[in-house]
Amino acid sequence: LIGEGIETVITHGNINGEDIASFVNGQNTTRGGTHLAAFREGVAKTLKDFYKKDYDPSDIRESLIGAVSVQVMEPIFGDQTKTKLNSKDVNSEGLSVRSLVCDFIQEHLDNYLHKNPDTASIIQKRIQESEKKRKAKTAIDKGTKEKLKKASLCNRKLRDCHIHYTDSKNVLADKSSLFITEGDSASGSITKIRDVKTQAVFSLRGKVLNAIKKSDELTKNEELIMLRAALDIDNDIDDLRYNKVIIATDADNDGLHIRLLLMTFFLKLYPDLIRTGHLYILQTPLFRVRDKKQTVYCYNSDEKMKAISELGKDQEITRFKGLGEISQDEFREFIGENMRLDKVRISSEDNINTILEFYMGQNTPDRQSFIRQNLRSDLDSIEVDLDRL
């Protein structure tokens, strides 16, 4: 759909949640803003009016894929990176950005639905399927919300920070981070040397539930309920309290397994957290190579070999087995300005349900065959990018 200063595209895919990109004057506004909110509102209102039924907006937008692009003379952004539009100004006709986008969607989408009754029927069936699934979970969700409410009041697993991502007027809001750590040893180290203004720590007891094999237990697991309460995104992704949600586990088999289980949890319950670029993996050094004059921290075998060749004789080489083995003074450098993070990514083409069922479901023989064919001997070289799965 193309109009004066507005372009939109709408379709549906096999995804959980919604995936809508937004742009202002050609720039990708990754945090959305006025135009994205108007787009979402316009689509929901148009479809409710067309079908003459008060569908829940979340059912309407389930599996929706789209984009909205606007041209604004003097856009006002909510942050220095210009990733969220806050413009509320009006044009010469007295219409705001919100009104322009909403009216545009209502007019053109309504016309399209009237001209394409077969497509309109398919869309309505998808909405009804989403509604049916949501209502089936209502009783469970009601109990979960009560638990989340209690957990948010007293979350003993969380060492919170002072500034959160929702504090949009604070210049440090984008730095707000949550480290999800493995055990008390690692969480203790990070907690003591973190920046209390912007860095929070959530401590896991061990391996979390497999969100695919034990999905019926997710609403009963106290630890995961507390993690959900810390994030506060059950109602809306815009309520996310931390810009970066960072999985910080050991670089051993158990640590990698916990990392995989956490990614499964987020893909299952909160795929939009990943789509909007908020989930990361913390990279910490595997080796320390030092002599009497210099210390070099190495994140993989190649860096280790380079350090060995550059340093002189009498080298001491240490292999860190876990985060708890790294001293607090050393750890300060690894979660500071030079922190190494790998962003977890999914694309709009990825079918999350298919991916999760194959890698985390009950098909053990198929998965074992896949692992044997693709096994890497160097754990240091593993990349966290779901686009490659």
Side-chain angles (χ1 to χ4, degrees):
L1 305 178
I2 301 176
E4 185 176 350
I6 302 175
E7 293 183 60
T8 64
V9 60
I10 305 171
T11 187
H12 281 85
N14 296 317
I15 65 172
N16 295 331
E18 58 188 87
D19 186 9
I20 305 172
S22 63
F23 304 84
V24 173
N25 299 341
Q27 179 173 324
N28 186 6
T29 44
T30 54
R31 293 184 63 190
T34 310
H35 56 323
L36 179 57
F39 176 87
R40 298 171 75 215
E41 178 185 337
V43 170
K45 188 177 189 308
T46 302
L47 292 177
K48 285 195 287 186
D49 291 345
F50 180 82
Y51 298 119
K52 295 180 174 57
K53 185 169 182 179
D54 190 23
Y55 288 118
D56 191 283
S58 64
D59 296 329
I60 292 174
R61 295 194 296 263
E62 178 65 24
S63 75
L64 183 71
I65 300 173
V68 55
S69 175
V70 297
Q71 298 291 324
V72 182
M73 289 293 292
E74 296 181 359
I76 299 173
F77 295 99
D79 52 29
Q80 294 180 344
T81 56
K82 298 183 179 180
T83 57
K84 183 175 182 179
L85 180 67
N86 276 2
S87 293
K88 294 183 174 65
D89 50 326
V90 298
N91 63 7
S92 58
E93 298 178 357
L95 294 174
S96 65
V97 171
R98 177 182 172 279
S99 297
L100 285 168
V101 175
C102 277
D103 293 347
F104 175 81
I105 291 292
Q106 287 183 256
E107 177 186 353
H108 292 279
L109 181 56
D110 183 73
N111 288 341
Y112 178 85
L113 294 171
H114 277 96
K115 293 178 182 178
N116 298 272
D118 290 342
T119 302
S121 177
I122 294 172
I123 292 175
Q124 185 175 31
K125 288 180 180 178
R126 296 196 71 139
I127 295 173
Q128 290 170 341
E129 289 174 1
S130 298
E131 182 181 49
K132 184 178 179 180
K133 291 178 182 178
R134 178 179 56 82
K135 288 184 176 180
K137 294 168 55 183
T138 299
I140 297 175
D141 289 344
K142 184 177 180 180
T144 302
K145 287 180 179 179
E146 290 296 322
K147 294 177 181 178
L148 287 172
K149 186 177 180 180
K150 293 179 181 178
S152 63
L153 295 175
C154 182
N155 197 331
R156 65 177 182 276
K157 308 290 290 185
L158 175 68
R159 282 85 164 178
D160 210 354
C161 52
H162 300 317
I163 300 170
H164 298 100
Y165 192 43
T166 48
D167 301 331
S168 56
K169 294 183 179 179
N170 195 305
V171 295
L172 296 177
D174 283 346
K175 292 183 176 292
S176 183
S177 305
L178 175 67
F179 292 94
I180 304 176
T181 63
E182 171 191 356
D184 294 333
S185 180
S187 65
S189 297
I190 295 181
T191 300
K192 291 178 181 177
I193 51 89
R194 66 184 171 129
D195 181 349
V196 295
K197 290 183 179 179
T198 59
Q199 294 179 327
V201 182
F202 186 93
S203 178
L204 295 172
R205 187 170 53 243
K207 293 184 179 180
V208 299
L209 291 176
N210 184 329
I212 302 302
K213 291 184 178 179
K214 298 184 178 181
S215 58
D216 57 331
E217 298 181 29
L218 293 178
T219 57
K220 305 174 185 177
N221 185 271
E222 184 180 18
E223 191 167 55
L224 291 180
I225 286 174
M226 288 187 175
L227 177 57
R228 294 169 66 175
L231 298 173
D232 195 26
I233 54 175
D234 271 73
N235 292 326
D236 198 312
I237 188 66
D238 290 339
D239 296 331
L240 179 64
R241 300 176 72 237
Y242 310 96
N243 184 23
K244 294 179 179 178
V245 179
I246 303 169
I247 300 174
T249 59
D250 294 341
D252 57 13
N253 290 336
D254 285 338
L256 293 176
H257 190 200
I258 293 172
R259 178 188 299 181
L260 185 60
L261 290 169
L262 283 170
M263 288 195 296
T264 301
F265 168 76
F266 287 119
L267 281 168
K268 177 67 176 179
L269 268 67
Y270 308 115
D272 287 341
L273 180 77
I274 301 175
R275 288 198 186 97
T276 50
H278 293 291
L279 185 63
Y280 295 83
I281 302 297
L282 176 67
Q283 293 298 327
T284 52
L286 297 176
F287 306 97
R288 180 180 61 207
V289 181
R290 64 183 178 184
D291 57 19
K292 294 181 179 179
K293 297 181 179 180
Q294 188 179 3
T295 299
V296 179
Y297 296 100
C298 309
Y299 289 76
N300 54 53
S301 296
D302 290 339
E303 292 185 9
K304 180 187 71 172
M305 297 307 297
K306 182 180 178 181
I308 291 174
S309 65
E310 291 179 352
L311 269 62
K313 298 180 179 180
D314 300 324
Q315 299 167 356
E316 176 189 292
I317 303 173
T318 303
R319 170 65 160 95
F320 295 120
K321 296 180 180 179
L323 303 184
E325 294 185 351
I326 303 175
S327 69
Q328 294 176 20
D329 290 337
E330 289 175 308
F331 219 125
R332 182 175 285 104
E333 178 183 347
F334 311 140
I335 64 169
E337 292 297 327
N338 297 321
M339 178 167 52
R340 293 197 191 185
L341 295 175
D342 290 335
K343 182 181 289 187
V344 180
R345 299 179 177 90
I346 53 175
S347 72
S348 57
E349 299 177 356
D350 288 323
N351 188 320
I352 294 178
N353 291 331
T354 300
I355 290 174
L356 292 179
E357 286 296 335
F358 180 83
Y359 290 100
M360 302 301 291
Q362 304 291 346
N363 59 327
T364 304
D366 292 338
R367 188 162 53 249
Q368 287 178 343
S369 176
F370 174 85
I371 292 173
R372 291 191 184 100
Q373 294 174 17
N374 296 273
L375 185 64
R376 297 185 185 185
S377 60
D378 186 1
L379 292 177
D380 307 337
S381 65
I382 291 179
E383 296 185 6
V384 182
D385 191 341
L386 295 180
D387 287 341
R388 300 191 178 189
L389 295 181

